Amino acid sequence: MTSPVVGIIMGSDSDLPIMQAAEASLATLGISFERTIVSAHRTPHRLVEYAQSAADRGLLTIIAGAGGAAHLPGMVASLTSIPVIGVPINATSLNGLDALLSVVQMPKGVPVATVAIDNAANAGILAAQIVAVADKAARERIRRFKSDLEQQVLEKAEAASIKG
Ligand code: RP5
């Protein structure tokens, strides 16, 4: 088995149904990944261990999803040199706005690439694009993926277009 180049972590197993879309994107684009639960607030020591060992274990980027007071992506970003992609998750009565602001409003010097609320699919695609910077075959798979997207829209346009 290929060793994982993307780490997917999330604050709780309740985030898994959303975060699985990132796994689906990576699988579609042929990028190896690992997945586990790491909670910033409930397992802070595990967070430090995961983030500090990530690069040495061969990970090239980390996708971190969390809801509510979503500190996981930012804290991981503070502890590693590899890029971190944050997925704000709709997990509270604030509908994900709490998580979005927690993830996106990082202080200068510690960026987190933040996708839209619950848009783990885009996190997977972005992670694949990061990996593809140094992987020509992956770049070609992403090119084909985008070309398929374009084709799908053109077919829908064809089906939906009318002239009065
Ligand atoms: C966050 O709190 C998690 O990322 C999750 O989105 C939310 C709720 O977690 P559970 O109470 O369902 O475990 O830390």
Side-chain angles (χ1 to χ4, degrees), residues 49-158:
E49 159 61 22
Y50 187 92
Q52 287 186 333
S53 66
D56 287 345
R57 290 191 303 105
L59 296 183
L60 301 177
T61 183
I62 295 171
I63 298 172
H71 295 138
L72 180 66
M75 284 308 299
V76 169
S78 76
L79 291 160
T80 183
S81 58
I82 61 176
V84 174
I85 303 166
V87 183
I89 293 182
N90 175 4
T92 75
S93 49
L94 295 180
N95 297 324
L97 193 56
D98 44 0
L100 174 64
L101 297 179
S102 300
V103 176
V104 80
Q105 289 285 31
M106 287 298 292
K108 213 178 289 173
V110 189
V112 169
T114 308
V115 298
I117 296 168
D118 284 350
N119 201 334
N122 265 2
I125 296 166
L126 182 55
Q129 289 176 308
I130 289 169
V131 172
V133 167
D135 181 336
K136 197 171 174 206
R139 269 205 307 282
E140 173 56 21
R141 292 195 295 276
I142 291 165
R143 191 199 60 72
R144 267 190 275 121
F145 171 80
K146 297 220 165 189
S147 164
D148 287 350
L149 274 186
E150 182 176 22
Q151 197 52 43
Q152 285 163 25
V153 174
L154 292 177
E155 282 166 20
K156 286 178 188 172
E158 172 91 9

Side-chain angles (χ1 to χ4, degrees), residues 8-12 15 36-48 50-51 65-66 72 76:
I8 300 177
I9 55 175
M10 62 207 80
S12 169
D15 299 324
T36 192
I37 308 289
V38 179
S39 168
H41 305 117
R42 295 166 177 158
T43 65
H45 304 291
R46 179 171 166 78
L47 182 157
V48 172
Y50 187 92
L72 180 66
V76 169

